[in-house]
Amino acid sequence: MNPKVEKDAGVFEDQPDGIHRGLQSRHLTMIAIAGTIGTGLFVKSGDVIGGAGALGALAAYVLAGISVFCVVMSLGEMATMIPLSGSFNEYAGRFIDPAVGFAFGWMYWFQWLLTFPVEIQAAAGFVGHWSDFIKQNPWYMFIILTLLLTFINLVAVTGFGETEYWLSFIKIFTIVVFIIIAIGILIVNRSYGFQTYTVNGSSPFENGAWGILGAMVSASFAFGGTELVGITAGEAANPAKSVPRAINGTFWRIAIFYFSTIFLIGLIMNATLLDKIGSSGTLNKSPFVFTLKTAGIGFAPDFINAIAFIAVTSAANSSIYACSRTMMALCQTGKGPAILGKNDKRGVPFFQTLIVATLGFCVFFITLIPSSPEDIQLGHDPFDLLVNCVGACILMAWGMISVTHIRFRYALQAQGIPLSNLIYVSPVGIYGDILSLVIIFVAIFFSGSAPVFSGATTFNYIDFLDAYLVILFYPLLYIIYKVVYRTKLIPLNEVDLVTGAQFKSDVAEVEEEPKSIWQKISDIIA
């Protein structure tokens, strides 16, 4: 599984394990964006603003953004030195303890397994905006989209990369258009703006600090997928150049899109109205659509609704990719059935993809469990519960990446490898890991208990269990692997920093082939 470095060129070859290395930096960036910009922005952002207020939601997204910035910088440092295909849980297994890698890997796989049906359910909800039949029978849409996305994932990885590249381009273009339209609304109609914060009893900080803390999981769900660059690193044609470029570009693009759209939506829609959207029990509650409807723009809501459908479908596509590659990587390193660690001759994890699609179909039916209006009002909607569950998994994954990077840095120091030898060095280092871990701890701790601290008269036990129960699977998986294989914490001087590693001295400058004008334009956009 570990890649072989060709020192004369700094380029990774196709390996005996069948992994094809043909992704460019534009593919890596767009795959990460594709896995990130979906339900979290187009659907759940309304819930966040409704629950935390306009400025409270912005604060929650900024805190989540700071955390993910530190995480992707740390991941970029490790992934550039040791590019792996499938999952970065292998770093935890190599730098800390194989049991940690086992628990981390399967929980990350579980996260994407849940994300896939969540995105498809959201896609069905957007189609339900036009079709009452799909609104009443969303499983038809799930079957159609699952077959389509499974086919896309079964083609060569370069085909998948191109598909996600153009789908992500459509999403980015639409968000830019939405930002321009929202700014135009604020300029033309002076009834919108900061005064909207206090309309109909709304507040810029609904529920105060507890509202912000309670919204952190949903905000983190929105950023989930940024770390996909670490999964695609092993399939990159030139990781030394493409991974750092993709790491930097991915975060800043996503941060700009999220921060600006959340801020503008908050200026147009007050928290009271958005809270009603979030309590309506329908997935057709995108604040993008609702904002433009409120502004009286005729065709725009249908247009945004169509783009939102493309966005969540693209995110579902990335979910299958991440889930199948994670399973492949786990099974290749002895943390799962060996038969599922094999690829076909094109480097595609064929059977893993089919398993993910099948299991996702089973999870999808959980979201179809009928919910009474009372249950939805209390937050017992299966869709929302799955989103919260995924959000908790995302936070734990980020935390594990930060812990792994701290261990990685100490191993470098113990073995006398200076940071100057690394191709890419995180600008925030261990301090960024510590900051990220603090934000993650606070977010997880208050995700289910914020209502208790805020003096709520009723205790929502389902929210409490939803916030914390999934986290218990980490120590459970760790203990099982630890007991069965009797693994130990790897001493710092024995951490494997050699296998598959590449340093500055290993990588020479590669002369890039001339690009056409259209390739240059697309690279600038990406």
Side-chain angles (χ1 to χ4, degrees):
M1 175 175 171
N2 297 308
K4 169 187 174 184
V5 180
E6 178 149 339
K7 296 188 178 182
D8 293 335
V11 180
F12 278 53
E13 299 176 330
D14 289 353
Q15 298 303 306
D17 57 15
I19 296 174
H20 176 64
R21 312 191 188 283
L23 294 179
Q24 307 299 321
S25 61
R26 66 189 183 97
H27 292 137
L28 303 187
T29 301
M30 289 305 208
I31 287 174
I33 290 176
T36 304
I37 300 178
T39 304
L41 180 62
F42 285 98
V43 179
K44 293 300 293 182
S45 55
D47 292 355
V48 177
I49 297 175
L55 292 184
L58 186 60
Y61 277 99
V62 168
L63 286 173
I66 292 172
S67 179
V68 77
F69 171 77
C70 298
V71 168
V72 295
M73 294 299 111
S74 298
L75 180 59
E77 186 174 290
M78 295 184 292
T80 305
M81 176 177 164
I82 308 176
L84 299 174
S85 175
S87 180
F88 34 71
N89 73 85
E90 184 66 12
Y91 299 134
R94 287 175 62 169
F95 305 155
I96 306 175
D97 184 335
V100 176
F102 175 81
F104 180 19
W106 282 110
M107 283 305 298
Y108 192 70
W109 172 85
F110 182 67
Q111 168 195 318
W112 284 111
L113 181 65
L114 294 184
T115 303
F116 167 51
V118 164
E119 302 289 1
I120 294 291
Q121 174 76 323
F126 285 117
V127 174
H129 173 72
W130 297 295
S131 171
D132 289 335
F133 176 78
I134 294 298
K135 190 174 183 179
Q136 298 298 325
N137 304 280
W139 58 275
Y140 277 103
M141 181 54 58
F142 183 88
I143 293 175
I144 294 172
L145 289 179
T146 299
L147 291 175
L148 175 62
L149 298 182
T150 301
F151 172 77
I152 292 175
N153 276 269
L154 291 179
V155 302
V157 67
T158 48
F160 169 84
E162 283 297 326
T163 301
E164 286 301 88
Y165 174 81
W166 290 109
L167 289 177
S168 297
F169 172 77
I170 294 172
K171 288 192 286 187
I172 292 172
F173 175 77
T174 302
I175 293 174
V176 171
V177 170
F178 176 83
I179 291 173
I180 294 172
I181 292 175
I183 293 174
I185 292 173
L186 293 171
I187 293 174
V188 173
N189 194 332
R190 296 303 176 87
S191 62
Y192 298 115
F194 292 103
Q195 66 270 22
T196 307
Y197 289 166
T198 56
V199 173
N200 297 329
S202 182
S203 167
F205 293 98
E206 291 286 312
N207 304 311
W210 306 115
I212 298 174
L213 295 173
M216 280 293 295
V217 170
S218 292
S220 300
F221 171 82
F223 280 100
T226 313
E227 73 286 344
L228 277 177
V229 176
I231 287 183
T232 57
E235 297 183 73
N238 187 2
K241 284 191 173 182
S242 58
V243 173
R245 187 182 302 170
I247 285 284
N248 290 318
T250 298
F251 171 77
W252 290 114
R253 285 164 176 78
I254 291 173
I256 291 171
F257 296 148
Y258 272 86
F259 298 161
S260 58
T261 52
I262 295 299
F263 177 68
L264 291 170
I265 290 172
L267 292 177
I268 297 173
M269 299 296 301
N270 64 67
T272 302
L273 289 176
L274 286 172
D275 190 40
K276 290 179 180 178
I277 301 173
S279 301
S280 63
T282 174
L283 286 172
N284 185 26
K285 57 185 181 183
S286 169
F288 285 73
V289 176
F290 204 86
T291 296
L292 296 177
K293 281 184 177 179
T294 302
I297 300 176
F299 71 90
D302 283 333
F303 172 71
I304 293 294
N305 201 73
I307 298 302
F309 167 76
I310 293 174
V312 296
T313 302
S314 171
N317 194 27
S318 292
S319 299
I320 297 178
Y321 174 90
C323 199
S324 62
R325 261 62 179 185
T326 300
M327 177 183 286
M328 172 199 70
L330 286 166
C331 295
Q332 284 181 341
T333 54
K335 299 181 180 68
I339 188 67
L340 296 179
K342 298 180 180 180
N343 302 325
D344 63 18
K345 61 182 180 181
R346 297 166 300 132
V348 175
F350 185 86
F351 291 108
Q352 299 90 326
T353 301
L354 295 181
I355 290 174
V356 170
T358 303
L359 292 178
F361 185 77
C362 297
V363 175
F364 173 77
F365 275 94
I366 297 176
T367 67
L368 300 182
I369 299 174
S371 300
S372 66
E374 292 78 13
D375 286 338
I376 294 173
Q377 186 66 33
L378 290 172
H380 298 174
D381 184 2
F383 176 81
D384 290 333
L385 294 178
L386 277 178
V387 168
N388 292 336
C389 184
V390 172
C393 289
I394 289 170
L395 286 170
M396 289 298 294
W398 292 351
M400 285 306 307
I401 292 173
S402 296
V403 170
T404 301
H405 182 254
I406 292 174
R407 182 77 176 172
F408 169 73
R409 279 291 187 94
Y410 278 113
L412 288 174
Q413 184 179 6
Q415 297 183 27
I417 301 176
L419 294 179
S420 58
N421 281 9
L422 303 185
I423 298 169
Y424 175 79
V425 178
S426 168
V428 290
I430 290 181
Y431 297 107
D433 296 322
I434 295 172
L435 176 60
S436 176
L437 287 170
V438 170
I439 295 174
I440 289 167
F441 173 79
V442 171
I444 291 176
F445 180 78
F446 288 105
S447 61
S449 57
V452 177
F453 289 91
S454 61
T457 55
T458 59
F459 177 71
N460 192 333
Y461 69 93
I462 292 184
D463 278 354
F464 187 84
L465 291 176
D466 189 47
Y468 300 123
L469 186 60
V470 67
I471 299 174
L472 298 179
F473 283 102
Y474 275 92
L476 179 62
L477 291 172
Y478 173 80
I479 292 171
I480 291 174
Y481 196 88
K482 193 82 171 176
V483 170
V484 173
Y485 293 96
R486 301 184 180 278
T487 61
K488 296 181 180 180
L489 180 69
I490 303 172
L492 290 173
N493 60 351
E494 295 180 16
V495 169
D496 183 5
L497 297 176
V498 176
T499 305
Q502 57 174 1
F503 299 93
K504 277 186 178 179
S505 58
D506 297 323
V507 181
E509 288 294 322
V510 180
E511 221 177 284
E512 297 185 359
E513 296 181 4
K515 296 182 179 180
S516 67
I517 183 64
W518 295 111
Q519 287 177 316
K520 291 180 180 178
I521 292 174
S522 67
D523 283 352
I524 291 172
I525 295 172

